[in-house]
């Protein structure tokens, strides 16, 4: 058993599964969850958090704070303020959080705050539940099989290539839209047809966008027929002009946070594994 | 345009899509559907069915009759009796139906009744929506990704091999249970591990059964841990002792009629294509 | 250790590997091989064949006899006549042979002769080394990558479907030529394009034929450009008019006996496993 | 037709195919090849190189110079000195070359020298012929099928992942050796087992190394049995202690320059496409 003591504070079921996975290697406490939501099979002992044994490490969810500046605790009927949480932490704790805001930093002035969403390991691993979640959406929304379907995938990054692999298994007819010769070369590697993002055709039944820049503007969307289903996986502004799509009667699903929705157990495990790696790197740096 | 005139009588949305697909090649009439449920994009002219132009061919759904002996019309607020239907048919019509009962034969004494569910073409094609529907169920039920999951597939027929192909795309860890060296040879062809149905291990997260005989009796089920999800795709008695599974607290989904549920458009198209092939064979026989 | 005693008589290296695999379960003798060709790693004791302990079972190669009516022994500097072989066998032996001729039956009048080439297990398993051997030929002959290549596969039987699987891994652009709706349905299952054998296009770089009937007659061949490589895997007459292809300057490889050439060890193992199954079935029949 | 005039000088057949591909878009001359080796189907006009119309661009092979400091011309019976070549080039030419040495730079003092081997596009694209060439070697060397074989792939870069894709099509049992959590995450993405490069097991039939650092030292090699085939695809020092392997009786193939050997046409086309992209980028920079 490793020396680290880690407190998991707030978040949804993913953080519970994260706690469970971390408890295989570390001493774990959890706070910010109603006891009733914890699955029976889990070790309840890690809910016995006391002020006397302080934790050096804390794991906060994504986002770490709610709108009122308290810890984001959707699975808890009580409020958990940063001050209350600090009472359980040692003087200079390490706080792992997803997308930490300035407010969070101000709330934990003595902590070293580390953003696990920046970890490449986490991002590679999250491509799988994201792609699976996207395929699940397509299976649920479409009245036809994926087999034989004309699918366009925009972007050949991790999510795009994972989608290609899964959809090839289904026997879909796949094209990928790329905006560089590098992307076209990657498409060739996967044995799929590459088209330029500048000259998108229109005979697609299903479009997955993974690129974080506007590709489907009004002009481009007008070319598509209204049976096409768009699933946008890109964060922030997304790649599809939502308003324009709406006015054209096109069906667009803006699918965010798929890992947590589709596969909360896997998702929690990925966060846990990422934190394990970050802890190991830290200890290697120190030695 | 071909000479045949075909009347689609009753059934769910699949039969509407079947009608739509058949209308590309034949003159189609439909009866036994409320007009309100017909999608806008379809040619409404084929709802103008009259007693004056009789149909030589009729397509009935699966099952063709309801419990009262009327045509099975779940999408219609009115009753359609065999006698009423006969008024639209010529003297010696050909009636295509799924699993026609003795009762049906008695209701249409002058008709030649042809069971499209016996068509090998239909059964091969239906393997795809069945397998996709099964995978959709797994994605919806499981809190983990299919990637990396230990999956057992029982049977290496059409549905089993299609499941293998799809799940390989997801990166699942696949074993197939077979009961002959022939099945083991097929497993090798697909690059997956074969285990004997007589010595089933227990470390599976997900089990798909496609074999129509009892394989998971109480003894076998007792070996599995209670997180395992069973999806039974086999018709009639199925391959899993449901009662025993229930008493052991195992989760079993008995998934029947997946093609119609998962992909009604594809499913209707498959029925249409099968009927096209049956008609072509008939005309070749005659010539 | 099982009771059976089996004598492997003649053939190429495959039969040696077959002997080696069978020796895991049975008592094996070999005859009709020069000692020098036996790999060092093998158990040499099974070359000690004597007239005193007769064998109940013999395994002969494909073909079992040479043109002079002796056992086919390409790896032996001495002649092995059927009479000499009979001296080592019991009175009513079981003789396993590939494609046994009338002459063979006459040479072993008291034996029960069993053709292992008729075993479905063997034929399923041989699809793999056949397809791998065909792909190896293509890799050796073509100055381009299989990735991105336009490939036509004729036939969706075991070899055809195995070729599809392998070539999809390479990222080839695959069409399959089929002559029935059943074949077209299978193509859809694999997610590849189906074309009719009656209307073959011409823009293929590589053609694999697996169908045992003449598909590429002069008329059809004339449509192909002279860079196309044809690999014919069908036995007996084959599917390509060789003469016509030659006169048109097309490159055709008639590839027979690929399992033994490409993968003699696997090939020998497959024969051994087939004989094991045939022996097991026999003993089950008796019990 | 584009304005650029390009002179292809020396190299093997790849450069001929490169010239052929470039001639689709540019005005091409070739020098440093015997006319007899040029395939008939090619446009011979581009061998009419004269001193009067100077070229702004030259394409040299890999390596560009031979041991005597002349242009590397393995397909030419005459010597081509840098001075002679310069007579055909304009005053400040752009010279594309693979791995240009200091000597080359000194031989063309007024030229801007550009190394096409540094292009990411070329390196992505070359992963395909490299992986296909490696698989071809395995098919030729091994007496067993790739199907069912235990294969270890070291490294999950472009070549490693392409190998995974191809070998999955064959139905091989694949493990990948990685040395970071990032590599392990990529392995999971592909649905293959990841092992640490530090703890390599021994039960592999075939090992592909793609990592450019010493992984198979004497200690590690000693664990492998002597039937294992090693194929080293890593450049420069390679990943296998060749001497140690030799002394242990292990079979190692150090496979370099596979793209040119396996698929010279594709390989030449890749060089051509890379030069096209480099020319386009240049013209965009200028505009």
């Amino acid at each position: 058993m490793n020396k680290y003591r880690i407190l998991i504070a707030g978040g949804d079921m993913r953080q519970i599964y994260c706690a469970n996975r971390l408890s295989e290697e570390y001493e774990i406490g959890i706070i910010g969850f109603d006891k009733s939501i914890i699955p029976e099979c889990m070790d309840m002992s890690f809910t016995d958090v006391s002020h006397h044994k302080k934790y050096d490490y804390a794991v906060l969810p994504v986002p770490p704070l709610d709108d009122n500046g308290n810890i984001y605790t959707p699975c808890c009927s009580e409020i958990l303020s940063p001050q209350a949480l600090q009472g359980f932490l040692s003087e200079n704790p390490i706080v792992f959080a997803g997308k930490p805001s300035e407010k969070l930093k101000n709330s934990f002035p003595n902590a070293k705050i580390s953003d696990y969403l920046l970890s490449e390991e986490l991002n590679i691993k999250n491509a799988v539940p994201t792609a699976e979640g996207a395929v699940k959406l397509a299976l649920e929304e479409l009245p036809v099989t994926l087999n034989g379907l004309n699918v366009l995938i925009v972007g050949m990054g991790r999510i795009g290539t994972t989608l290609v692999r899964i959809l090839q298994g289904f026997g879909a007819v796949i094209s990928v839209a790329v905006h560089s010769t590098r992307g076209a070369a990657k498409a060739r590697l996967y044995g799929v047809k590459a088209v330029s993002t500048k000259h998108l055709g229109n005979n697609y039944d299903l479009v997955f966008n993974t690129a974080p820049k506007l590709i489907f503007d009004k002009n481009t969307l007008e070319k598509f027929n209204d049976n096409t289903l768009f699933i946008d996986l890109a964060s922030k502004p997304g790649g599809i002009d939502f308003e324009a799509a709406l006015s054209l009667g096109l069906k667009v699903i803006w699918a965010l946070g798929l890992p947590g929705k589709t596969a909360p157990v896997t998702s929690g495990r990925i966060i846990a594994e990422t934190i394990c790696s970050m802890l190991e790197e830290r200890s290697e740096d120190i030695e």
Side-chain angles (χ1 to χ4, degrees), chain A:
Chain A
M1 179 60 90
N2 215 303
K3 59 192 177 247
Y4 298 123
R5 302 183 66 246
I6 307 176
L7 184 60
I8 314 298
D12 58 22
M13 286 307 290
R14 268 180 294 177
Q15 302 304 101
I16 298 277
Y17 296 119
C18 170
N20 200 39
R21 173 71 182 76
L22 283 173
S23 72
E24 293 171 17
E25 291 175 55
Y26 305 107
E27 193 185 329
I28 297 299
I30 65 174
I31 194 167
F33 299 91
D34 288 341
K35 286 205 174 182
S36 59
I37 71 131
I38 298 173
E40 278 175 45
C41 58
M42 284 190 191
D43 180 4
M44 298 297 285
S45 78
F46 53 70
T47 59
D48 304 326
V49 174
S50 94
H51 285 268
H52 300 298
K53 278 190 81 183
K54 308 264 180 178
Y55 291 86
D56 292 322
Y57 297 89
V59 177
L60 271 62
V62 190
L65 298 184
D66 64 20
D67 292 345
N68 301 320
N70 292 314
I71 307 299
Y72 176 59
T73 55
C75 295
C76 189
S77 42
E78 286 167 46
I79 283 170
L80 177 64
S81 69
Q83 292 70 30
L85 178 55
Q86 253 156 348
F88 296 98
L89 303 182
S90 62
E91 222 165 310
N92 292 291
I94 311 282
V95 173
F96 295 101
K99 290 196 194 152
S101 57
E102 272 310 302
K103 206 172 191 175
L104 184 79
K105 286 169 193 164
N106 296 336
S107 303
F108 294 87
N110 299 322
K112 191 179 169 315
I113 293 179
S114 200
D115 186 354
Y116 51 78
L117 285 193
L118 296 180
S119 151
E120 200 185 359
E121 180 185 348
L122 181 135
N123 284 300
I124 294 176
K125 288 183 174 172
N126 263 351
V128 167
T130 302
E132 291 198 9
V135 168
K136 175 172 162 258
L137 280 173
L139 284 167
E140 287 169 346
E141 293 293 328
L142 293 170
V144 292
T145 55
L146 294 181
N147 182 277
L149 206 70
N150 285 305
V151 182
L152 178 69
I153 297 168
V154 183
M156 277 296 272
R158 283 153 197 158
I159 297 172
T161 52
T162 307
L163 278 171
V164 167
R165 284 182 58 83
I166 295 175
L167 292 168
Q168 282 180 329
F170 276 96
V173 180
I174 304 167
S175 302
V176 296
V178 295
H179 44 262
S180 67
T181 51
R182 196 180 169 287
K186 269 190 111 173
R188 189 191 287 190
L189 223 67
Y190 279 82
V192 291
K193 204 180 145 196
V195 295
S196 166
T197 47
K198 283 167 201 158
H199 309 284
L200 288 177
N202 55 353
N203 52 342
Y204 299 108
D205 307 304
L206 175 59
V207 177
F208 292 103
N209 178 58
T210 71
K213 67 177 203 182
L214 187 69
I215 284 169
F216 296 92
D217 55 17
K218 196 163 188 198
N219 274 347
T220 305
L221 287 169
E222 269 168 353
K223 291 192 230 156
F224 287 82
N225 72 63
D226 48 318
N227 285 322
T228 312
L229 174 66
F230 290 81
I231 298 180
D232 196 347
L233 303 167
S235 52
K236 285 194 212 115
I240 298 166
D241 183 336
F242 210 82
E243 300 277 294
L246 216 75
S247 73
L248 291 162
L250 294 170
K251 176 146 202 184
V252 180
I253 299 176
W254 199 22
L256 290 183
L258 285 179
K261 287 173 198 159
T262 315
V265 170
T266 304
S267 195
R269 216 181 279 156
I270 290 172
I271 297 170
E273 288 165 5
T274 304
I275 286 164
C276 285
S277 298
M278 290 168 100
L279 288 170
E280 275 166 38
E281 274 165 36
R282 284 188 58 82
S283 71
E284 280 168 19
D285 287 355
I286 291 161
E287 278 157 32

